[in-house]
């Protein structure tokens, strides 16, 4: 198959006609498909149904601290849940603080706290003229939404195959005191699927920020979310690296079981230095009398320990793996060699990242929608929803059934082809 | 029995000796008792154990909105939980927004939001030189802690038998634009147990605050928490009154099931005008992908509707009522006519409020502690922990068993007598 760029105008016009016919046929089917969000499928939710049975009306509901989990008390999480999430976060128990059902809330509250209270004695960010965050792109839209909501200026940093471009990160944080943070998804990154290299993690640990209240917001959302048993990414543990580098307070690590147990009914934690946790716990003390300890207990009784959790994740992988492979195989078969797109082949996480020809992403997403396929909005993977190249599209293959997915992938590649031909004809 | 004030110095000295002897005897028993927090007793928690059984691995977990409660989605609460908490809040469903497990968190987040985002377009409070809140006293320590944490200046307003002194409230809010809010527990108030009169509620609805972003923080924590079936307080519904008065946006109502189902594992809601809810929901959109819908479903499946919840509260009352009556009877028998203290006789809620002779509260609490009885810290019911008269003590009779409570009440009255005698001897 020839690359589209090598086709003559006549060939492109003929191809366009053919693709349009194909497209009208698919459109006529009136399909409704969704590859927009990293949402677990029903079969994945069923894996955790047993969690509904581990606590019943005759269960002992006293935790290891001797406290009745049905009552008030134990602000920082029951000991057994702290142990489980510490293991999941690869930190000692003293470095873990359990929150409610969502790691996004912890990140939000951490930014909110910095706005009104400052960070370890620094000026509250709301009192500063300008606060900036570095945003590796493409990245997670909900991160960018939080910083935008608080009026924080966002600066794009390119993602490389090894992680964020550390030359740029090092330079910017060293010279600009207004830069207070950087958003990172270090493992199976959303959306590229890449994992940060050891060198990247070490360079993060050795950052020399101008701002004393600079923090790395390390959202380890996919820490145990592998697709393969025998080919898994491993990243260096950043808190340890920061300690070794003499920067123990520079990182906040976020984690949750949203895509392990149930989205919205999981448990979440902050992992950080004891000094950072003391500050977070103070805020928590005023914010709540305590989080849902029964749900913490439910998680511990169901998973038992980190090994139980890892075994459980293999079952998720069995469901997710064929979906990723279906999409990637359609992309390879249909777009391979055409020169109109490239895509990631992640070994974990929830997304495939697709880069179309420049200026085509919005049009492709709109085209797919015409045929009943909802994709993540083009631009969503960039701060302010603005992809400077209008090129990146996030593909989320988890929610549809395998059958739906095969059809969805076909609609997607057809949309890519059609828009690319139109783009080439514009020249 | 003569009032202590009428005793001669000699009589007081003899009484002191006698009381000290009694006290040493009790102290010798090495008791450990706690009347410090409004914490439900184990028997009350057992009432809701059936909630652990309503969802199991084979339950249908799809809510009325057609959404699987195990997955992401439905930011503002599942429809059936909105209905239940709307009924509990006495507002239409359009005026309810479901949050997580704690109404304190909603109050905290509401203040936090006002700090960084302002209120309906007003200047964010963090950008103002001075923000003030009115605090009816005695009141709830956790309210005062939130405003203190955000650097908000607190102004005491006396509680009358009808509610806060509205002459003062009306005057202050009308003349000072820095006053942005007032904390209220309108029913079975913490700690006085009184309920606001209809006139008080109407005067609240008709307030003419200088600050456009002034809000009444209406913490209806004990809305259905009656002690008696046949003698219950009823308060006017403030949102309706505010609408009638042309001030629909002036109130935020907070509610939770913490003392209905499980503290820490309940569900909570904000009730307010649609304009206020739109603003709160925007914040929520950035803060979380959604609250725990399985726990919402669990609550609805267990209580069915507001009538089921009311029936459930009668069972709580059966456990709480004798405890309140035990304490009040000891107070009456032991302190009646002595002129060294007065106390409330609430018909609901979680507290009895005790007013000692001026300058005695701290010493009484310390004395009780000597004999192994933990009371709420004296001063806790006032902003900054400072009771100007050092007089008010909050009694929380819910947690101890009836047997423990009888002993605890005896230690308390003994401490009151002893400290009062010492105080009178100082003169």
């Amino acid at each position: 198959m020839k690359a589209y760029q090598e086709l003559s105008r006549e060939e492109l016009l003929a191809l366009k006609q053919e693709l349009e016919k194909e497209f009208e046929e698919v459109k006529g089917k009136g399909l409704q498909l969704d590859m927009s969000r990293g949402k677990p499928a029903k079969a994945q939710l069923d894996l955790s149904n047993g969690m509904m049975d581990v606590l019943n009306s005759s269960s002992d509901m006293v935790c290891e601290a001797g406290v009745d989990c049905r009552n008030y008390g134990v602000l920082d999480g029951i000991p057994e849940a702290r142990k489980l999430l510490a293991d999941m976060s690869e930190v000692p128990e003293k470095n873990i603080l359990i929150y409610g059902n969502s790691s996004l809330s912890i990140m939000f509250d951490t930014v909110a706290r910095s706005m009104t209270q400052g960070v370890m004695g620094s000026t509250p960010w709301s009192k500063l003229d300008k606060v900036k965050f570095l945003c590796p792109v493409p990245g997670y839209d909900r991160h960018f939404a939080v910083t935008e909501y608080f009026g924080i200026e966002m600066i794009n940093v390119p993602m490389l195959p090894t992680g964020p471009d550390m030359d740029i990160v090092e330079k910017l944080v060293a010279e600009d005191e207004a830069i207070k943070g950087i958003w990172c998804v270090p493992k199976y990154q959303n959306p590229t699927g890449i994992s940060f290299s050891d060198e990247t993690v070490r360079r993060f640990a050795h950052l020399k920020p101008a701002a004393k209240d600079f923090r790395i917001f390390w959202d380890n959302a996919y820490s145990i979310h592998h697709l393969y048993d025998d080919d898994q990414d491993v990243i260096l543990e950043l808190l340890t690296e920061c300690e070794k580098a003499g920067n123990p307070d520079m990182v906040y690590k976020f984690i949750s079981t949203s895509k392990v147990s149930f989205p919205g009914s999981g448990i979440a934690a902050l992992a950080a230095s004891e000094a950072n946790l003391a500050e977070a716990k103070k805020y928590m003390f005023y914010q709540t009398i305590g989080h849902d300890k029964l749900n913490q207990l439910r998680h511990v009784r169901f998973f038992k320990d980190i090994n139980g959790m890892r075994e459980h994740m293999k079952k998720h992988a069995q469901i997710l793996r064929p979906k990723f492979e279906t999409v990637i195989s359609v992309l390879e078969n249909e777009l391979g060699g055409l020169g109109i797109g490239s895509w990631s082949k992640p070994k974990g996480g929830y997304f495939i990242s697709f880069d179309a020809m420049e200026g085509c992403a919005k049009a492709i997403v709109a085209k797919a929608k015409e045929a009943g396929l909802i994709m993540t909005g083009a631009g969503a993977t960039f701060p302010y929803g603005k992809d400077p190249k209008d090129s990146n599209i996030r593909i989320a293959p988890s929610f549809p059934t395998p059958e739906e997915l095969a059809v969805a992938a076909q609609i997607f590649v057809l949309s890519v082809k059609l828009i690319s031909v139109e783009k080439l004809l514009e020249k």
Side-chain angles (χ1 to χ4, degrees), chain A:
Chain A
M1 188 74 199
K2 253 185 182 172
Y4 277 23
Q5 287 80 352
E6 293 165 21
L7 298 178
S8 68
R9 188 165 180 84
E10 288 64 37
E11 284 172 313
L12 284 172
L13 283 168
L15 181 57
K16 183 170 180 248
Q17 207 171 9
E18 190 185 313
L19 291 167
E20 274 169 352
K21 201 182 144 209
E22 263 186 75
F23 190 83
E24 287 309 313
E25 274 169 28
V26 176
K27 197 173 151 183
K29 292 183 184 167
L31 300 169
Q32 282 197 313
L33 299 163
D34 194 331
M35 292 204 298
S36 70
R37 303 293 323 174
K39 200 171 159 176
K42 186 180 175 304
Q44 289 177 267
L45 303 174
D46 290 343
L47 295 175
S48 299
N49 266 3
M51 193 177 287
M52 300 292 174
D53 299 329
V54 291
L55 292 189
N56 60 52
S57 55
S58 51
S59 298
D60 171 24
M61 279 169 289
V62 174
C63 71
E64 283 173 13
V67 169
D68 190 330
C69 289
R70 299 171 302 172
N71 218 331
Y72 291 119
V74 195
L75 185 61
D76 46 5
I78 63 174
E80 46 270 64
R82 288 165 54 83
K83 171 86 173 89
L84 180 63
L85 268 63
D87 286 346
M88 192 180 167
S89 303
E90 302 171 325
V91 300
E93 285 166 66
K94 68 180 167 62
N95 294 117
I96 205 91
L97 184 59
I98 309 283
Y99 281 72
N101 72 329
S102 147
S103 55
L104 182 66
S105 305
I106 312 178
M107 297 178 227
F108 181 95
D109 284 356
T110 304
V111 174
R113 185 177 75 241
S114 308
M115 293 297 294
T116 59
Q117 314 294 327
V119 179
M120 290 192 184
S122 79
T123 305
W125 296 356
S126 63
K127 305 277 188 199
L128 300 174
D129 289 336
K130 180 68 87 180
V131 176
K132 302 176 191 173
F133 257 57
L134 300 184
C135 300
V137 290
Y140 179 34
D141 55 349
R142 300 297 297 251
H143 287 165
F144 306 150
V146 169
T147 25
E148 185 175 3
Y149 185 59
F150 285 103
I152 293 172
E153 184 182 317
M154 296 179 279
I155 300 167
N156 293 358
V157 173
M159 279 292 294
L160 307 178
T162 50
D165 186 327
M166 293 308 292
D167 291 346
I168 296 180
V169 172
E170 285 165 354
K171 183 171 177 294
L172 289 176
V173 303
E175 68 189 20
D176 189 351
E177 207 187 333
I179 296 174
K180 302 297 188 188
I182 180 168
W183 289 117
C184 292
V185 179
K187 198 166 178 178
Y188 303 133
Q189 197 246 10
N190 175 356
T192 64
I194 72 112
S195 296
F196 293 9
S197 71
D198 290 357
E199 195 203 335
T200 297
V201 175
R202 286 200 192 95
R203 288 175 75 176
F204 264 113
H206 285 86
L207 283 179
K208 305 205 182 320
K212 279 190 183 162
D213 50 354
F214 171 86
R215 294 290 183 272
I216 303 162
F217 285 64
W218 198 253
D219 180 5
N220 207 354
Y222 309 106
S223 61
I224 54 173
H225 303 56
H226 309 283
L227 287 174
Y228 299 92
D229 290 353
D230 54 352
D231 188 11
Q232 304 185 340
D233 288 350
V234 175
I235 58 166
L236 277 182
E237 198 288 293
L238 181 59
L239 182 58
T240 311
E241 295 304 313
C242 282
E243 283 165 0
K244 285 198 262 177
N247 289 322
D249 300 328
M250 202 166 57
V251 58
Y252 301 128
K253 291 177 65 173
F254 307 95
I255 209 157
S256 88
T257 69
S258 293
K259 291 185 179 86
V260 180
S261 58
F262 297 119
S265 302
I267 57 176
L270 171 64
S273 71
E274 289 175 274
N276 275 326
L277 291 191
E279 192 166 64
K281 196 172 163 181
K282 187 175 174 197
Y283 193 82
M284 188 189 275
F285 170 81
Y286 291 102
Q287 191 177 26
T288 181
I289 298 183
H291 294 290
D292 187 342
K293 295 187 294 298
L294 287 174
N295 205 33
Q296 293 171 21
L297 193 62
R298 212 173 267 127
H299 277 73
V300 176
R301 296 263 169 100
F302 182 65
F303 291 117
K304 307 277 193 292
D305 58 23
I306 185 67
N307 294 320
M309 210 178 233
R310 289 188 194 285
E311 285 306 308
H312 187 80
M313 293 313 290
K314 289 185 187 171
K315 299 178 198 163
H316 279 286
Q318 280 169 15
I319 296 168
L320 285 169
R321 194 167 50 235
K323 296 189 180 185
F324 275 78
E325 289 175 349
T326 296
V327 173
I328 288 168
S329 130
V330 172
L331 293 172
E332 282 176 355
N333 292 338
E334 296 287 332
L335 300 180
L338 298 188
I340 56 173
S342 59
W343 51 90
S344 62
K345 289 168 208 161
K347 292 189 285 179
Y350 265 69
F351 303 103
I352 295 164
S353 183
F354 184 87
D355 285 310
M357 287 168 58
E358 284 196 32
C360 288
K362 270 188 202 306
I364 291 169
V365 169
K367 198 74 199 170
K369 195 176 174 190
E370 262 187 58
L373 170 63
I374 309 295
M375 304 291 299
T376 308
T381 52
F382 285 74
Y384 311 107
K386 286 179 196 161
D387 175 358
K389 294 185 179 169
D390 185 24
S391 163
N392 187 253
I393 298 172
R394 187 180 78 168
I395 301 175
S398 57
F399 191 69
T401 63
E403 296 71 28
E404 290 172 332
L405 209 59
V407 181
Q410 288 296 346
I411 296 177
F412 178 71
V413 295
L414 191 51
S415 304
V416 172
K417 287 178 183 176
L418 199 44
I419 297 299
S420 303
V421 168
E422 287 175 7
K423 187 79 186 173
L424 289 167
L425 281 168
E426 279 173 20
K427 286 181 186 170

